[in-house]
Amino acid sequence: GQPHAAEAWWACRTGGLVYLCATDSLTTSGSNPHQAAAGYAAVTHKFPGCNEAGLRLLVGTAAREAAARHLTASPVFSFFHRPSSTFRVMMRLDAAKRPPASAFAALSHVARCPSCGEVWRVPSTRLGDAASLAPPCSCCSERGEAPREAPQVMGPMWVGPMHDAEFVAGMRGDAAARGWSEPDRLLGSFLEEAEAEAKG
């Protein structure tokens, strides 16, 4: 089912961690739009990379629920556990105060051109532009083509970093010291993803 992120934040102190799991991959992949609206306050579609989109929806929902309670939160790590079809996210309560305006840059909508498949960010304040195809995707623009369909817009979701590389590196060192090979491998993949994100 869906995570109860709202209630979880009241049980967490500054610097504390909240581990969230969600098993509703059909909802986050666009198969249950009404449930997406109810549980995530979001619009979902069948995008490529739907597992990553599901993680970003979960992180975005948790961050917004924290902000609604004048708390600032961010992800420590996140991954999709394929055997159980579960989205798993570790969030940290960074501060017991309202997030600064700059923090909301990590929350955005994402649009996809049905014609060529290009994906791009759409700030929530520019949703009208996406709906009116202004501007069209860069791929169609370069070819001088007008998109045949309006873009699919999904979100809001988290578009910031999905892993805290320093925290994850510390976890990996501890796992290696304990001889835990599987966690060491998994945490290593998080570090690779964090490095790739940092490079853009």
Side-chain angles (χ1 to χ4, degrees):
Q2 295 173 332
H4 298 283
E7 296 87 344
W9 290 121
W10 293 131
C12 189
R13 64 181 180 180
T14 302
L17 303 174
V18 173
Y19 191 53
L20 299 173
C21 296
T23 57
D24 52 346
S25 56
L26 287 177
T27 296
T28 59
S29 63
S31 296
N32 194 340
H34 301 298
Q35 193 66 23
Y40 294 89
V43 175
T44 59
H45 290 286
K46 293 182 180 179
F47 277 17
C50 59
N51 291 339
E52 180 180 355
L55 283 171
R56 291 186 178 277
L57 282 167
L58 177 54
V59 173
T61 299
R64 286 188 293 105
E65 292 284 5
R69 288 152 183 77
H70 294 187
L71 304 172
T72 303
S74 61
V76 172
F77 65 77
S78 62
F79 70 105
F80 179 74
H81 185 250
R82 190 172 301 277
S84 61
S85 295
T86 306
F87 301 104
R88 302 187 179 190
V89 173
M90 182 74 82
M91 299 288 294
R92 178 176 52 223
L93 180 57
D94 297 317
K97 60 182 180 181
R98 187 192 303 269
S102 59
F104 290 93
L107 288 169
S108 180
H109 286 72
V110 173
R112 178 177 181 269
C113 175
S115 300
C116 68
E118 181 179 356
V119 176
W120 68 97
R121 295 181 188 179
V122 180
S124 299
T125 55
R126 302 291 300 274
L127 285 176
D129 292 345
S132 63
L133 299 179
C137 71
S138 60
C139 184
C140 290
S141 297
E142 290 171 1
R143 295 199 304 261
E145 299 178 1
R148 294 184 293 273
E149 302 176 60
Q152 299 170 308
V153 181
M154 183 171 175
M157 65 174 66
W158 184 266
V159 295
M162 297 294 283
H163 308 291
D164 180 329
E166 183 178 355
F167 195 101
V168 170
M171 290 180 65
R172 188 186 188 192
D174 187 52
R178 295 169 184 267
W180 295 347
S181 58
E182 183 61 21
D184 179 57
R185 182 198 62 77
L186 181 62
L187 292 164
S189 70
F190 296 170
L191 288 174
E192 291 174 1
E193 291 173 6
E195 182 178 354
E197 275 195 315
K199 292 179 179 178

